[in-house]
Amino acid sequence: MQMTFDELPQLMTLMTGDEKHSTSATSTLDVLWVLYSDILRLDPANPDDPDRDRFYLSKGHGPMAYYAVLAARGFLTPNELASFGSYHSPLGNHPDRTLVRGADIGSGSLGHGLALAAGTAVALRIQKRRARVFVLIGDAELDEGSNMEAIQFAARWNLGNLTAVVIDNDSAGLGWPGGIASRFAVEEWSTSDVDGRDHDALREDFRTDHTDRPHVMVAHVETKES
C-alpha cells in the first residue's frame, strides 16, 4: 500500500521507544521522503537487487524518520515500528543492516558513511552497473576527518554516480568558513544549497545531471534544537 507524506507523522507516533535524538531525526524526514518516493530506484519486493540504487544513512542516530519512510514504502510494517527501541526489536536507536530490511549499512558511529558510499560508487562503476549511491550526512558529522579524505577521493575518481546530502541544522560546533558547500567545491564537486523542507526544490536538485563528478546537496533545515 502506497502512503503519502502527510501520513508519515502517524507512522512516527507508533514508535514510542526511547529516542534521544527526535529533533535530529525529524530534520531528515523531507529529504528521505523525496528520495524514497521519487528518486531511488528500489523494489521492496527485491531489496537486494544488485542493480538497485544504494542509500546510506550515515547520520544514523535518530533513525525514526528513516524507519517511518521505509515502512511507508513497504520495506517495514507498522507492527515493526511499534516495537522500536524494545529489547527484541530489529529497529534499534542505530540502524543495523543485518536486521532492518532495506537498510544498506549499519550506522551510528559518525564519519564512515561518505567513505563507504565512495567505495561503493567505485565498485559499481567497475562492475558497469547503472546503480547510483546516495549518502545522507549530518553537518556536525563533517567534523570527522575521514569525511575530508572521502571528499578528496570521490573528486579524484570523478564519481558521477555519487550524491551526498548534508543536513544543515546548525548543529556543527566549529562551522565552515564560506559554508558547508565550499568544503566540497574546493575539490571540484558539483554543489547546491537547498531548502531541506521544499520537496519540489529537493526533487529538482536530485535530478540535476552531474555525470562527470560527484554532487553534494546542502539541505538547510531549521530546528529548535540540534
Side-chain angles (χ1 to χ4, degrees), residues 35-226:
L35 275 169
Y36 274 85
S37 61
D38 295 311
I39 304 301
L40 295 172
R41 297 190 292 254
L42 297 171
D43 180 4
N46 187 16
D48 297 320
D49 181 356
D51 290 315
R52 74 192 186 282
D53 287 338
R54 271 62 166 182
F55 173 73
Y56 290 176
L57 182 69
S58 188
K59 183 181 167 71
H61 58 293
M64 289 176 62
Y66 183 46
Y67 294 153
V69 170
L70 286 177
R73 305 313 297 173
F75 291 93
L76 302 175
T77 67
N79 285 340
E80 287 175 295
L81 295 183
S83 73
F84 168 70
S86 65
Y87 183 76
H88 294 290
S89 174
L91 307 184
N93 293 102
H94 295 155
D96 184 335
R97 73 173 183 84
T98 67
L99 300 176
V100 180
R101 192 167 181 270
D104 278 319
I105 62 169
S107 57
S109 181
L110 300 179
H112 299 300
L114 184 56
L116 288 169
T120 301
V122 170
L124 291 170
R125 191 167 72 180
I126 292 171
Q127 295 170 9
K128 301 185 185 305
R129 298 191 185 276
R130 294 177 54 250
R132 303 164 299 174
V133 185
F134 297 80
V135 56
L136 191 151
I137 308 165
D139 55 346
E141 185 179 357
L142 286 178
D143 287 341
E144 299 286 348
S146 54
N147 286 293
M148 297 304 103
E149 296 180 9
I151 291 169
Q152 293 173 330
F153 173 82
R156 302 300 186 275
W157 278 75
N158 301 314
L159 296 180
N161 57 342
L162 173 63
T163 297
V165 182
V166 181
I167 299 295
D168 183 7
N169 59 4
D170 292 324
S171 63
L174 299 177
W176 303 98
I180 291 174
S182 67
R183 303 295 295 181
F184 293 79
V186 73
E187 295 294 341
E188 299 187 355
W189 281 55
S190 167
T191 70
S192 63
D193 287 88
V194 178
D195 180 346
R197 301 294 191 195
D198 186 333
H199 291 195
D200 288 337
L202 292 169
R203 289 188 195 96
E204 181 179 357
D205 194 271
F206 279 128
R207 290 168 176 158
T208 299
D209 181 34
H210 59 93
T211 55
D212 61 335
R213 54 180 171 160
H215 177 70
V216 62
M217 172 204 294
V218 182
H220 299 273
V221 178
E222 292 187 4
T223 59
K224 292 183 179 179
E225 59 184 84
S226 58

